[in-house]
Each structure stands twice: as structure tokens, then as C-alpha cells.
Amino acid sequence: MKELDFGKKTDYNIELARIVDSVKKLRNLKAGKYTLWNEAAEWHMKYSNLRGVSSLTLTITLSPTGCDWARQGGCTMCGEFEGAFKKNDLLHNPQFHIAQFVSAVSNPKVWETSKSENKSISWIRINQEGNYTNPHEMNIEAQDKILQLAIRLKGVKRVTIESRPQYLSEKVVSHLAEIFRDSNVELEIGMGLEAENDVIRNICINKQGTKQQFIDTVNLLKRYNILPLAYIILKPPFLTEQEAIDEAVATAHFAAKIGFSRISFEPMSIHQYTLVDLLKETGDYSPPWLWSVIEVAKRCSDISSIFGIGGVGYYPIPSEYTHNFCTEKKDCNKRIIEAIKKYNTSRSISVFKNIDCSCKGYWLQECLKEDCALKDRINRQLDNVDRIIDNYSPAPIPINSLVRRQRIIAGNSQ
Ligand code: SF4
Ligand SMILES: [Zn+2]
């Protein structure tokens, strides 16, 4: 594997300023989304691999109030701000998020599904597309109450929330651990590690933060018996297909090495009002091929027990997901998605063995493409962005993907 060396983060100060300028501009174009108090922004059910057992999982997205980091520009691929309610005054009232959580877990469709599947809901994943433990995004009383309610639901074995390490001080972590102490329910906290390489994480993605922060937070969570989950992205902007594959493989192994107990590998999807969407418009970006997803999974087979493939359950709905740019066989993408679901259950890369299609040759050609030095490439692509940003108008989301707001998925995820 070619070692990725893009220099130091500080070599890119000018490029970073340009990137932040663009993402801020895009965030300001969208006023935000109105969502009801008594309904979560979205919920869905699916089967997930919980310690090797396929388990019924309820994922709830509480209406985001707007990630603090996104307010300052935020990550180049993240469209959460577009779907955020952005009303800070709601934070003073804990009932806002509590009511949404209760409405999702008490929805008759949820319990009818549990009954018809003859399984209890074992896993509750709570997203609000930001940082659960940041009091500027979620009222502290709501944070506690929702977790207290979640662990009391019959059959629940694990609850997952998300936060950047910046909001996981020892005080916060010990308090969370106390809530779960006598419950027999595991708490898992997902963190967006995204990329091991400092330049890719901090410049291409604009995630900011150090690797040491992740190392320290993983150790802290483990000390309090909380499971650390890493989100890893496939194909951040400005990278070639091959660089993206190599980076994802290196990041997954780094995450395993520093002690993450689970990895959710997220092939990039395209979200409106993001820099990635603009780069797609200029022709400088396309989402990763599904062959790349398989390639990364194969090269991570040594850590497959903790390596799951996600990237399909986003809020708001993306305009494009990872796919093969295939004109040869109509069901090429479908077959691979089905194989990925099987992989998530079995964690065996043998599910990819008999999958083939002539478009694989085009993917291999794509992997051979090289580009100039990263710095030059970023500037060239941002010049293209500057030419269209003032007239940016995102492509409409396909109508049939908008029905995901409340749905039961008969599939397996990571
Ligand atoms: S990816 Fe997470 S940290 Fe980054 S802008 Fe989105 S919600 Fe905020
Ligand atoms: Zn194909």
C-alpha cells in the first residue's frame, strides 16, 4: 500500500481558509427546516449486528438544533445543518427532544413490527446529527431523561449516541456512566474519526481536532465501560479513488489499534448545501464506487468483527449514494448492496466472492488515475467552486427517497 504523505496541516492554512469560507457561505443559504415538536425528524427500524447477533434496532433522529461546529462552517460533506431546526431558544425547554423521543418509541408501528418479527427492540440508536452531549445542541435535562427512558424499555441491550470528543470530558463521561450503572444496558458513543491522516481529516474534511483527542477519549470511555464507535468516511473531497481507498484502510486499522470497539464505515453520499455537492456540480467529485467499498472491506478482513458497512441511513436524505457507474447490467448495484447486507450479518468477505460485472474494469481504470499535488488540486477545485457558488441551486432529491421519514427496513446494517 502506498503511504499517503500530504505534508503538515499547517502547510494548508490558505486552502483551509478558502474551504471554510465556502462551507460557511453554503450554510447561510439555507434557513433551516421546520419540524414538529411531537414527531422525531425521522425514525426507522432494521436489523443490526449486536455482538454477532442480528438484532432489531430502532434508529431515531431527533430534530437537530444545529451542530455548533457547522455554525462555524463545519465538515465539508455534512448536510445536517440543512435539516436542522436551528432554533436555539428550544434548547431551554427539555421537552422538545424528550417529546420527539417518546413519540418515536411509542409509535404503534414500532411495536407492531416488534410483535410481527417476534423480537424485542435490542438496540436504540439516537441521532440528532450533531453532538448529543453538547448543551448548546441538546438541553442537559433532555440528555439525561432520554437515556433514562431508553434503558427502561424492555429488551433494550444497547443505546448509541454521537458526539465529537471535544464534548466528552471526564465529568460528562462519568455522569453518563452513572446513568447506565445498574441497567445491564451498554452505552456506545459514536465519534467521527473520519480519516487518520491529519491533512485529510483537518483540511479536506475540515473536521478539526487531533488524533490524540481520539486516543484519549477512547481510553476515557473504556475506563467507564462505554463502547467507543468510530465513523470512518470513504472518499473525502479532493482525493482520487485510490487515495480514498488507501486512506480508509489505514484509518480502519488505526481505529482498531487505538481501541475503538466498533467501526461504522461510511461511503460518502452527497448532501445538499455542502462543499462536496458543489464539487460534484463542477465535475471534480463523484461518490465512491461500490467496488471501492468492497475493496476496503476485503483489506479490512483482519478486523471484520468490528468493521461494519453503513452509509445508507442519513438525515436529511442525500441526493446520491455510493454506487457503481455501471451501464452494463441493471442489477449490478442492487446485487452488491444485497451482498453488503449479508456481510454486515456474517462479517465474512466471502459474500463478495462471486460478484462481478464488466464495470469493474472502468473502476480499475479510475483507481489508476493520478492527480497533481494535493495543495494544487484543492486550489484548482476551489477556483471552480468560486465560479458557481453564487448561483448554487441544489438538484432536487428524488421523490421516492423522501418517503424514508418513517419506515421499516427489512435489511441488515452495520
Ligand atoms: S459531521 Fe458532525 S461535527 Fe461535522 S458538521 Fe456534521 S454534525 Fe457537525
Ligand atoms: Zn456493473
Side-chain angles (χ1 to χ4, degrees), residues 27 66-71 73-81 128-131 137 162-164 167 192 194 205-207:
R27 304 272 184 229
C67 162
D68 257 358
W69 181 233
R71 280 181 205 284
C75 308
T76 52
M77 74 300 184
C78 175
E80 74 78 36
F81 212 56
Q128 32 63 267
E129 310 299 319
N131 303 282
E137 295 175 47
E162 302 173 330
S163 177
R164 298 176 84 202
Y167 304 111
E194 318 296 4
I205 301 176
N206 187 31
K207 193 86 195 178

Side-chain angles (χ1 to χ4, degrees), residues 25 51 66 157 267 281 289 291 313 336 345 347 365 383 395:
K25 224 179 204 175
R51 296 196 182 278
K157 296 192 172 93
E281 290 290 305
W289 291 65
W291 296 120
I336 297 179
T345 309
R347 297 298 166 90
Q365 281 173 22
D383 287 347

Side-chain angles (χ1 to χ4, degrees), residues 289 291 324-333 335-336 356-360:
W289 291 65
W291 296 120
N324 283 339
F325 299 81
C326 179
T327 51
E328 311 288 326
K329 278 187 187 170
K330 271 207 205 126
D331 63 347
C332 164
N333 287 304
R335 281 182 305 125
I336 297 179
D356 205 0
C357 179
S358 47
C359 70
K360 200 168 177 182

Side-chain angles (χ1 to χ4, degrees), residues 27-58:
R27 304 272 184 229
N28 289 334
L29 288 177
K30 183 81 184 181
K33 212 172 185 125
Y34 178 75
T35 43
L36 298 169
W37 267 60
N38 55 355
E39 248 183 36
E42 181 191 287
W43 62 263
H44 61 263
M45 291 172 87
K46 60 189 172 187
Y47 280 99
S48 308
N49 187 324
L50 200 164
R51 296 196 182 278
V53 179
S54 184
S55 306
L56 200 55
T57 303
L58 172 62

Side-chain angles (χ1 to χ4, degrees), residues 17 54 83 106 201 203 295 356:
S54 184
S106 59
R201 194 179 63 260
I203 308 298
E295 178 68 10
D356 205 0

